[in-house]
Amino acid sequence: MKVGVEVGGTFTDLVAHGDGQIRVIKVPSTPASPDIGVLDALRAAEIDFASIEDFAHGSTVATNAVLERKGGKVAFVTTEGFRDILFLQRHSRKQIYDLFYQKPSPPVQRRACFEAAERILADGSVAAALDETRFRSEVLPLLETGDYEAVAICLINSYRNPAHELRLAELIRVALPGVVVTCSHQVTCEFREYERASTATLSAFVQPVIAGYLGRLTAALNREGFRGRFSVMQSNGGRLPADSMRENAISALFSGPAAGVVGAVRQVVRSGYQNVITFDMGGTSSDVCLVQDGKPKLASETEIDGLPVRTPVLDIVTVGAGGGSLIWIDDGGMLRVGPESAGAQPGPACYGRGGTRPTITDAHVVLGTVRPEAFLGGQMALDVAAAHRAFDAIATHFGLSVEAVAYNAIRLANANIVRAIQLVSTERGRDPRDYVLVPFGGAGPMQAAQIAEDLGIATVVAPPNPGVTSAHGLVASDFIKYETMTHRVQVGDGTCVDVRERFAAMTADLQAQFMQMAFTQALEFSYTLEMRYVGQAFEVPLELDTAALALLDRKSLEDSFTEAHMRIYHHADKTGRPIEVVALRVGATLVTPHVSAVASAEGRQDAAAGEPPLFDGEGWTPCSRRTVAALGATASVVAGPAVLEDYTTTVLVPAGWQARVDEQANLILSKEA
């Protein structure tokens, strides 16, 4: 049996494949101890732990540790003279007119930042040898008395020559055998010292948390009889064995959103859709990602809480607009949605767990989109009166009805999501009208058609059981690992030979790493060159497959870069300005057998149907209301306004749209001509 369990902010989702059937379960998350929610889901699905061959997991543990600053106590060691690098940061700021702007706080205190006397130059040569005597006498005693759980080491230019970092790590491990030591060149072997230092420090910060969490979960699974393979999803859209993740926890920062993208793409390509924009709206946030030719776009850097993370991640943009996002009034008297969320506890007011503040889920209950009898297939009761009461104060403030406030709040949340989609499409040189929108998560399909209409997108494709798409993505994902290195060289006649040799060495290294993880199957490799015009500050990624790399010459390299630059920036240099390669990245993929879609779980859906009215912003209007399972069984088409109910979500079909279920069990919403 193959099992995927994804821990979200509100629900913990499970998808299990085995014994000729597919099981789908959603249980409330347990934020204080997420591993309890995982075990609850496995028990609710009545799964024999001993029968699990492949257990794939994704969670927000690393993300929450950073956002809530609940990681390990970290010390930072850097080259003498660079102690304040984490606090100086970059001069750029996103809110240039914000008079109250403050730089993001790193997860380490200044008194926990230490210096090592050494210096390596940009070419890797040693300008000043490491002064071990000073480090032993001045720094180690402070580390020994500081009660630190982890130490991050980031020396200047260590990406070219890591000898001093490795020696410092050895000295620290001998003096403090119980402390986690993270070297920057092992986390991200690239230039730009601030981004490398931030990534290494964040990795060290979450390492004790991830190691402890995975250790507890592994022990709990073993006690229940589990003896299979335990893997964890990474931010790059692939997974790795849990033991490997304990050494580089930062790669699991966005495992949940990445799993959702993989699950959605694996399903919708069955229906022939290759160019899509995924839209994952869960309990606390919405995540969007652009997929071109069936492949999610990869970014070399992201950020969390304003802090840069330099590691390959799916190019996902997140906004604080989820089903549990709170609706409130700001100091200027304006209506706002998120980013604060009601979470799993107390949750939306309609959950009846003590929540009193309105959320997006409450708004859908008020508007009639969510029918209490059908929520989670009728297995979870909703308090409709509590949802209405939650909006009373805001409705009084604006002098509007509760329904009008709820409707406007959803439109405001939609506007925030539209902006996020534009960030991954329009601002990347892509027209969203050339794509289909793929919503999933518990709340995504309720708002997808309205968002698509705002963007000019004419087709929405919702995968089956979209509320557990992320869990499906866990078992559907491949095993992936990336290696990146900085290598600055101006493009010339010998450049292609040079990069092929370096790519070959990196490929061999990745093959060895997979062998160490007991994977002996053949791997697939992808290659990326980060390039720019000499003098530019930002790079353009140029992706190559094995065949393209073998045939690469100077002209095709320059032409490919020019084309990529033109697509993103809508201009290219015509004066013969020199081009340079800045970094190389290799991805190794162990392809896993594809699993079936989760449509087989439709038998769990509530078969009840009815026609309560729907509030459309102007008044109550009749709507047809059916289950997705019934629609698929009859191969019929339903015209909006309509509400389609599913065990894991509710789908809103607005007026002017129609819906049908295709042969692959995908729900297709089309804008009527």
Side-chain angles (χ1 to χ4, degrees):
M1 179 170 285
K2 295 183 178 181
V3 179
V5 178
E6 194 265 333
V7 178
T10 306
F11 288 99
T12 294
D13 304 334
L14 176 146
V15 171
H17 298 256
D19 301 328
Q21 61 177 332
I22 300 174
R23 306 179 197 181
V24 174
I25 287 291
K26 291 179 76 75
V27 299
S29 293
T30 52
S33 187
D35 47 304
I36 294 177
V38 174
L39 297 176
D40 288 346
L42 289 166
R43 291 172 182 140
E46 300 179 349
I47 291 176
D48 178 8
F49 286 73
S51 69
I52 302 175
E53 174 186 339
D54 189 1
F55 178 71
H57 183 46
S59 77
T60 57
V61 171
T63 306
N64 293 340
V66 176
L67 295 177
E68 299 172 8
R69 292 298 192 269
K70 293 182 179 178
K73 186 178 181 181
V74 181
F76 175 67
V77 177
T78 188
T79 302
E80 189 173 33
F82 291 84
R83 178 186 178 189
D84 291 318
I85 187 173
L86 292 173
F87 301 90
L88 291 174
Q89 303 177 7
R90 294 290 179 191
H91 71 277
S92 58
R93 49 189 284 185
K94 292 185 176 180
Q95 296 85 28
I96 60 175
Y97 300 114
D98 184 357
L99 299 179
F100 302 98
Y101 172 80
Q102 292 183 337
K103 291 182 178 180
S105 300
V108 60
Q109 296 180 324
R110 188 177 185 275
R111 64 172 176 266
C113 297
F114 305 98
E115 297 180 333
E118 66 86 39
R119 190 59 186 265
I120 290 176
L121 301 180
D123 61 359
S125 61
V126 178
L130 174 64
D131 192 333
E132 294 187 20
T133 302
R134 279 186 58 186
F135 188 79
R136 291 176 188 272
S137 62
E138 297 178 4
V139 179
L140 279 182
L142 296 175
L143 292 176
E144 291 171 341
T145 59
D147 193 28
Y148 297 109
E149 299 175 74
V151 178
I153 306 173
C154 181
L155 303 181
I156 300 304
N157 297 320
S158 60
Y159 67 92
R160 290 301 302 267
N161 183 352
H164 291 174
E165 279 195 356
L166 292 171
R167 179 55 181 160
L168 286 177
E170 183 180 353
L171 294 174
I172 294 171
R173 289 190 177 106
V174 171
L176 292 85
V179 171
V180 174
V181 181
T182 300
C183 294
S184 69
H185 76 276
Q186 295 173 333
V187 176
T188 173
C189 194
E190 299 182 64
F191 76 145
R192 295 194 173 105
E193 62 276 5
Y194 167 58
E195 287 75 12
R196 184 159 44 89
S198 174
T199 306
T201 305
L202 286 169
S203 184
F205 182 67
V206 301
Q207 202 77 38
V209 177
I210 290 295
Y213 171 69
L214 293 179
R216 292 192 304 273
L217 183 55
T218 300
L221 291 170
N222 291 340
R223 285 195 300 270
E224 298 287 343
F226 171 71
R227 296 294 182 269
R229 180 173 59 194
F230 180 14
S231 58
V232 178
M233 192 69 178
Q234 305 172 90
S235 307
N236 58 35
R239 50 188 168 124
L240 284 178
D243 290 339
S244 300
M245 294 299 296
R246 295 179 190 179
E247 301 173 2
N248 189 10
I250 198 66
S251 62
L253 202 57
F254 302 108
S255 63
V261 173
V262 173
V265 172
R266 286 287 173 88
Q267 176 58 26
V268 299
V269 295
R270 300 173 189 264
S271 296
Y273 298 102
Q274 296 283 330
N275 297 336
V276 306
I277 297 174
T278 64
F279 163 43
D280 178 6
M281 189 173 184
T284 57
S285 64
S286 291
D287 307 295
V288 299
C289 179
L290 185 138
V291 178
Q292 185 74 27
D293 298 325
K295 296 180 180 179
K297 305 301 292 182
L298 200 68
S300 58
E301 183 178 313
T302 186
E303 66 175 36
I304 180 169
D305 202 21
L307 300 172
V309 179
R310 189 76 179 177
T311 184
V313 298
L314 294 188
D315 191 6
I316 297 173
V317 172
T318 301
V319 292
S325 293
L326 293 172
I327 301 166
W328 52 288
I329 300 173
D330 65 15
D331 293 339
M334 302 297 289
L335 187 67
R336 299 285 296 275
V337 176
E340 186 180 357
S341 172
Q345 295 291 341
C350 63
Y351 284 7
R353 298 174 181 163
T356 59
R357 301 171 66 185
T359 67
I360 290 295
T361 298
D362 294 310
H364 282 294
V365 171
V366 167
L367 298 177
T369 314
V370 172
R371 188 165 61 96
E373 297 83 0
F375 192 75
L376 275 183
Q379 297 178 13
M380 181 175 174
L382 295 182
D383 189 338
V384 178
H388 280 79
R389 286 195 302 270
F391 283 97
D392 284 342
I394 299 178
T396 300
H397 171 82
F398 288 108
L400 298 172
S401 67
V402 166
E403 293 82 4
V405 171
Y407 181 83
N408 290 330
I410 289 176
R411 298 300 293 177
L412 179 58
N414 288 347
N416 293 336
I417 296 165
V418 165
R419 178 58 183 148
I421 292 175
Q422 290 171 336
L423 289 175
V424 300
S425 58
T426 308
E427 295 195 12
R428 303 285 198 277
R430 306 287 185 179
D431 189 339
R433 294 172 295 183
D434 297 333
Y435 296 77
V436 300
L437 187 63
V438 179
F440 52 96
M446 286 191 287
Q447 300 176 208
Q450 295 172 332
I451 291 169
E453 193 159 345
D454 290 342
L455 289 163
I457 296 175
T459 304
V460 174
V461 181
N465 280 299
V468 294
T469 297
S470 291
H472 171 65
L474 292 170
V475 293
S477 62
D478 300 324
F479 289 88
I480 299 176
K481 201 170 192 309
Y482 288 94
E483 285 289 325
T484 305
M485 68 173 294
T486 292
H487 177 58
R488 293 184 61 182
V489 57
Q490 187 169 313
V491 174
D493 293 335
T495 302
C496 295
V497 174
D498 177 40
V499 298
R500 271 194 287 266
E501 291 176 351
R502 293 181 183 274
F503 274 141
M506 296 169 70
T507 299
D509 183 48
L510 282 170
Q511 288 175 322
Q513 293 182 45
F514 271 82
M515 292 291 290
Q516 292 175 356
M517 292 185 287
F519 291 120
T520 58
Q521 301 94 319
L523 303 175
E524 294 182 0
F525 294 94
S526 61
Y527 306 92
T528 302
L529 293 171
E530 297 281 350
M531 302 176 65
R532 65 187 184 187
Y533 290 113
V534 173
Q536 279 186 315
F538 301 98
E539 296 80 49
V540 172
L542 182 61
E543 299 178 2
L544 305 167
D545 56 22
T546 303
L549 178 62
L551 299 174
L552 194 67
D553 57 22
R554 178 175 180 175
K555 184 179 186 305
S556 62
L557 178 60
E558 292 175 338
D559 290 346
S560 298
F561 167 75
T562 301
E563 179 183 350
H565 195 282
M566 177 68 75
R567 184 179 65 250
I568 295 175
Y569 297 111
H570 291 279
H571 74 87
D573 195 284
K574 305 294 185 180
T575 64
R577 184 176 177 181
I579 302 169
E580 66 177 349
V581 173
V582 175
L584 294 77
R585 181 171 68 240
V586 179
T589 301
L590 175 63
V591 178
T592 59
H594 286 188
V595 295
S596 303
V598 292
S600 300
E602 287 182 343
R604 296 188 54 86
Q605 297 173 6
D606 182 11
E611 296 187 0
L614 191 69
F615 189 83
D616 62 1
E618 297 181 358
W620 294 95
T621 182
C623 74
S624 60
R625 196 176 295 260
R626 304 180 63 182
T627 64
V628 176
L631 184 66
T634 59
S636 57
V637 177
V638 61
V643 174
L644 305 177
E645 295 169 347
D646 179 272
Y647 169 63
T648 65
T649 191
T650 298
V651 183
L652 175 62
V653 185
W657 289 73
Q658 59 184 18
R660 63 180 177 86
V661 176
D662 71 3
E663 295 79 4
Q664 304 299 328
N666 290 316
L667 180 64
I668 314 297
L669 276 65
S670 304
K671 177 72 173 174
E672 295 177 356

